[in-house]
Amino acid sequence: MVTTLAAAAAAQQPTHHWAIVLHGGAGVIERATMNPKTDAEYRASLTQAIEAGAAVLDKGGSSLDAIEAAIRILEDNPLFNAGRGADFAADGKNELDAAIMDGSNLDAGAVADVTRTRHPISLARAVMEKSPHVFLVGLGADEFSKYAGLEQVDPSYFFTERRWQSLVKQLTKEGLPIPPRPVGAPAPPPVPVAEIEPPDAHKFGTVGVVALDRAGNIAAGTSTGGTQAKRWGRVGDSPIIGAGTYASNQSCAVSATGTGEYFIRLTVAREVCSLVEYKGMTLQQAADHVIHKELTDLHGDGGVIAIAPDGQMAWSFNTPGMYRAKLAEGGKLQVGIYNDEP
Ligand code: ASP
């Protein structure tokens, strides 16, 4: 009898349609200067990652699992500024930041300036699930990573020639010293690597995913190498809960990308959700207000992706482009790069 009642109650639970939105960074990414092969590579990479996340959701997996699966793929992809392919700090090191947040219970985990974990998003999740803390940084976070059993790599694993040459170019322009080539990096090529993106593009390649699962729970995750040539232990918005990453089933889940200094001061991710929660804005209105009004008024640049428990999906950015994709159960995959695309 009890079992029958429980089964009946379970059958009455609304099953949500899953949905997922992903970004791979925003900035001066323009059709006119993008070569078609790179354009196609980015679209294929975004598709591969979102399909991995969607497959998890489709099997009834949690939004957290979908986010982690999609971000791990992007962290392994050198096209993006996260994990392998991360930007370099001015001292020639890759210092990685990541955060994840569970909208069902406001649990969160974040790490900054980690140097040896292959998948920083999984480390952020381990902080959330296996430590009593929310935010670990630097050596302590690296130490916890080993303790939590995450895959360790030599720091040279994150090295890519393209990002290194880009750092050298920027430091030269700023009149700053060029650090030695990282130990363990491959020998320099005889000729400079081809620019994958336009030279001096003010761009980002941070990655982020927000998702809604069949249980109706939303979550958000973000992973980044931060901004190129960052100095003095700089940390951006990505790992800061409420700034670059936020999720609450009461309102929405958001992942941001852009110049973190502005996103921190505006607590962008929480601000979008507050507008939804307290002002009754739609998700798109809230995202547009924060990006096109608040961020733009402060002269900040970048964008957000967002999702709500009722299935609303949104993205908004004030830069010429943002690598992005979205997919909802039963819907059509949408992938975009430039601001003239839907
Ligand atoms: N928001 C990141 C940071 O400031 C950079 C990015 O989005 O690419 O660290």
Side-chain angles (χ1 to χ4, degrees):
M1 180 64 178
V2 173
T3 328
T4 321
L5 283 178
Q12 276 167 15
Q13 292 275 320
T15 36
H16 292 252
H17 287 293
W18 57 259
I20 181 167
V21 191
L22 167 156
H23 74 75
V28 181
I29 311 161
E30 289 167 319
R31 200 184 288 279
T33 44
M34 174 76 87
N35 96 39
K37 186 167 163 273
T38 309
D39 176 302
E41 276 170 13
Y42 271 106
R43 287 178 199 272
S45 302
L46 295 167
T47 303
Q48 183 203 8
I50 202 163
E51 282 179 348
V56 172
L57 295 168
D58 202 49
K59 279 192 229 126
S62 71
S63 46
L64 285 174
D65 284 345
I67 287 167
E68 188 181 358
I71 291 186
R72 285 169 68 101
I73 288 175
L74 295 168
E75 286 176 338
D76 283 346
N77 186 330
L79 283 179
F80 299 94
N81 171 21
R84 184 151 175 268
D87 270 329
F88 288 93
D91 62 2
K93 297 199 178 110
N94 295 117
E95 296 163 344
L96 312 167
D97 304 339
I100 195 160
M101 185 160 183
D102 180 345
S104 72
N105 53 15
L106 304 188
D107 279 355
V111 291
D113 281 355
V114 297
T115 59
R116 295 183 166 273
T117 304
R118 177 169 171 190
H119 295 115
I121 193 65
S122 298
L123 179 54
R125 187 164 180 186
V127 171
M128 174 170 85
E129 292 175 345
K130 298 182 182 162
S131 92
H133 305 302
V134 168
F135 196 179
L136 303 183
V137 303
L139 290 178
D142 279 339
E143 189 59 35
F144 172 74
S145 176
K146 279 188 266 171
Y147 163 81
L150 286 143
E151 184 177 347
Q152 304 293 300
V153 290
D154 186 82
S156 63
Y157 164 82
F158 301 109
F159 179 96
T160 54
E161 193 63 42
R162 171 171 81 109
R163 298 277 186 201
W164 180 255
Q165 289 184 15
S166 180
L167 173 76
V168 170
K169 221 191 256 179
Q170 181 172 341
L171 293 175
T172 308
K173 208 162 84 190
E174 290 184 30
L176 291 168
I178 312 290
R181 209 176 156 84
V183 177
V191 287
V193 294
E195 299 275 2
I196 293 198
E197 281 147 320
D200 302 323
H202 181 194
K203 60 178 190 295
F204 315 93
T206 292
V207 305
V209 182
V210 293
L212 163 66
D213 61 30
R214 285 218 169 110
N217 294 319
I218 54 172
T222 312
S223 181
T224 186
T227 48
Q228 176 167 275
K230 62 186 179 180
R231 299 168 79 188
W232 309 299
R234 180 262 187 198
V235 176
D237 60 313
S238 310
I240 296 181
I241 298 303
T245 307
Y246 188 76
S248 165
N249 279 6
Q250 298 306 314
S251 50
C252 66
V254 175
S255 170
T257 175
T259 306
E261 282 68 10
Y262 298 92
F263 285 70
I264 293 172
R265 285 184 275 160
L266 289 169
T267 56
V268 160
R270 174 65 224 188
E271 179 78 348
V272 172
C273 295
S274 292
L275 292 174
V276 168
E277 191 170 351
Y278 303 121
K279 287 234 171 180
M281 288 189 185
T282 66
L283 194 63
Q284 189 65 54
Q285 283 168 344
D288 284 343
H289 180 83
V290 174
I291 295 303
H292 292 293
K293 177 84 182 102
E294 298 185 34
L295 181 70
T296 304
D297 284 356
L298 206 62
H299 306 293
D301 52 352
V304 290
I305 52 165
I307 206 159
D310 65 0
Q312 291 178 73
M313 299 185 279
W315 51 49
S316 188
F317 52 100
N318 67 359
T319 47
M322 179 165 86
Y323 300 111
R324 59 197 187 276
K326 65 179 170 194
L327 182 61
E329 186 171 6
K332 205 170 152 297
L333 172 67
Q334 196 178 327
V335 178
I337 298 181
Y338 316 105
N339 63 7
D340 59 6
E341 295 174 87

